[in-house]
Amino acid sequence: MRAFEDELRSALRRREPPAGFGNRILSRVEAEERKAVLRPRLFRNPAVRWLAAAAMACVLLIGVALERRAMERRLQAHRAAQEAILALRITRYELNHALDRAMRRGGRDPRQEGQIFSPKEQP
Amino acid sequence: MNDGHGPNSTHLFESTVRQHQAMVFSLAYHFLQDAAAAEDVAQEVFVQLYRNFRSIQSPGHLRFWLRKVTVHRSLDELRRRPPQPISLEEVAEASTDPAPGDPWLSARLRRLVAALPPKPRMVVILRFQEDLELREIADTLEMPLNTVKSCLRRALAVLQAKLARSVGDVKV
């Protein structure tokens, strides 16, 4: 068993990594350092990063709320316009109806409506 | 161990890499049996070390940290790969270092170790590459001590049996 374990030790001995391994790691680390320098010093503090994220979330929520309110106002305006159009239609109908009745009482044929106010009959 | 990132810490980090690169690379290589993947894992480990350099308290802590992170990165790397049956004949040889024992036997043993399931494989590598005590292996792998003991016993029995069979095949 001892000889077998020694063979295992020999088989699993440490081996050096391929050439340039250390330099490749240092290059990666330097690249990370450069990235860290580009990031503003203020934002390296995790608390500041959290605060910034919270502020951005607040701005986003306020923006969504304002947009929703504006949309509701636009909808209300549209509904009011529709109601006004409907009211005008009803008024026109009522006026036509009243005119029709008045003409019938005066013995005129409302179907010859076009002749009622013709230039010849006007006083 | 380190008071921050700067020119001095970069030099300290560089010497740390040179000092421990063989350990980290070999752990990953013996486990994954793939030199390119082992180098990737080792690079990741050292980049992670650079990020956490301030938290390292002593050389002993550094060795423990490197082993633990390498072991877990290697296990993650193995999980990410699609399952591949390891043929005893296909396991690549990466190093050109001259082997001290019988080269054929060493190669055969590495292939047999590579064919073990992940946890027993790592136990064997930590025991025979790093000469760790069973308690240290248990701490590194976050496994109960008795599990490590039984894992190692079974793995050695399997390796011996398979080696005896393959030696027998060659003699025939």
Side-chain angles (χ1 to χ4, degrees):
Chain A
M1 188 69 177
R2 185 80 198 163
F4 176 70
E5 289 186 2
D6 287 343
E7 281 299 340
L8 258 178
R9 257 183 210 99
S10 165
L12 297 176
R13 74 199 179 282
R14 284 184 186 177
R15 40 186 76 206
E16 287 299 323
F21 173 78
N23 291 334
R24 284 193 286 279
I25 290 172
L26 292 174
S27 308
R28 276 186 67 171
V29 162
E30 277 165 19
E32 287 230 339
E33 280 278 282
R34 278 197 297 275
K35 248 192 262 174
V37 168
L38 286 175
R39 194 193 298 160
R41 191 170 284 274
L42 183 68
F43 284 96
R44 288 183 205 170
N45 185 342
V48 173
R49 284 207 297 269
W50 275 109
L51 272 175
M56 276 179 72
C58 280
V59 167
L60 198 71
L61 283 175
I62 289 169
V64 167
L66 286 175
E67 174 57 29
R68 206 167 169 176
R69 212 168 141 187
M71 197 189 271
E72 273 170 17
R73 277 188 188 162
R74 280 198 296 272
L75 264 173
Q76 275 177 352
H78 181 71
R79 255 185 247 131
Q82 293 292 323
E83 280 170 13
I85 289 168
L86 183 66
L88 286 171
R89 278 186 187 151
I90 292 168
T91 309
R92 189 185 67 182
Y93 172 80
E94 290 295 335
L95 283 172
N96 282 340
H97 193 62
L99 182 63
D100 184 37
R101 272 184 304 181
M103 283 195 297
R104 278 179 200 281
R105 267 187 216 140
R108 293 190 180 180
D109 185 1
R111 279 173 294 185
Q112 293 173 335
E113 189 185 340
Q115 293 171 4
I116 295 171
F117 299 110
S118 67
K120 275 188 259 175
E121 289 187 18
Q122 273 182 14
Chain B
M1 186 156 179
N2 177 35
D3 56 355
H5 290 176
N8 288 338
S9 68
T10 307
H11 285 302
L12 183 59
F13 177 73
E14 198 175 339
S15 68
T16 304
V17 171
R18 308 260 180 244
Q19 194 182 344
H20 296 288
Q21 61 182 18
M23 175 185 80
V24 171
F25 174 77
S26 303
L27 278 175
Y29 174 70
H30 285 137
F31 184 74
L32 297 168
Q33 287 294 328
D34 177 341
E39 185 174 341
D40 285 347
V41 167
Q43 279 195 20
E44 287 293 327
V45 170
F46 281 114
V47 170
Q48 196 175 335
L49 172 68
Y50 186 76
R51 289 186 200 129
N52 295 281
F53 214 32
R54 286 177 217 201
S55 66
I56 303 296
Q57 292 146 9
S58 64
H61 181 216
L62 173 66
R63 278 193 300 277
F64 175 76
W65 191 96
L66 284 172
R67 281 191 198 115
K68 192 165 180 167
V69 174
T70 308
V71 161
H72 287 101
R73 287 261 172 179
S74 301
L75 286 165
D76 288 345
E77 173 64 26
L78 195 71
R79 266 184 228 122
R80 265 203 298 272
R81 293 170 165 198
Q84 299 164 327
I86 300 175
S87 153
L88 293 186
E89 307 306 325
E90 283 173 2
V91 178
E93 289 296 301
S95 177
T96 52
D97 296 352
D102 177 352
W104 180 86
L105 192 57
S106 288
R108 198 80 196 162
L109 272 172
R110 277 194 294 276
R111 288 167 190 161
L112 291 172
V113 169
L116 287 172
K119 285 273 166 135
R121 193 189 319 170
M122 198 49 103
V123 169
V124 169
I125 292 168
L126 287 171
R127 178 75 178 147
F128 294 102
Q129 181 197 301
E130 292 301 304
D131 266 328
L132 292 190
E133 295 300 323
L134 296 179
R135 162 59 58 200
E136 292 174 300
I137 297 173
D139 289 343
T140 306
L141 291 174
E142 293 166 340
M143 280 165 73
L145 180 59
N146 285 335
T147 310
V148 172
K149 278 183 191 169
S150 60
C151 221
L152 184 63
R153 209 180 310 119
R154 272 201 302 270
L156 288 178
V158 167
L159 288 175
Q160 270 190 312
K162 284 189 175 176
L163 185 68
R165 251 200 324 262
S166 65
V167 169
D169 289 347
V170 169
K171 278 178 183 168
V172 169

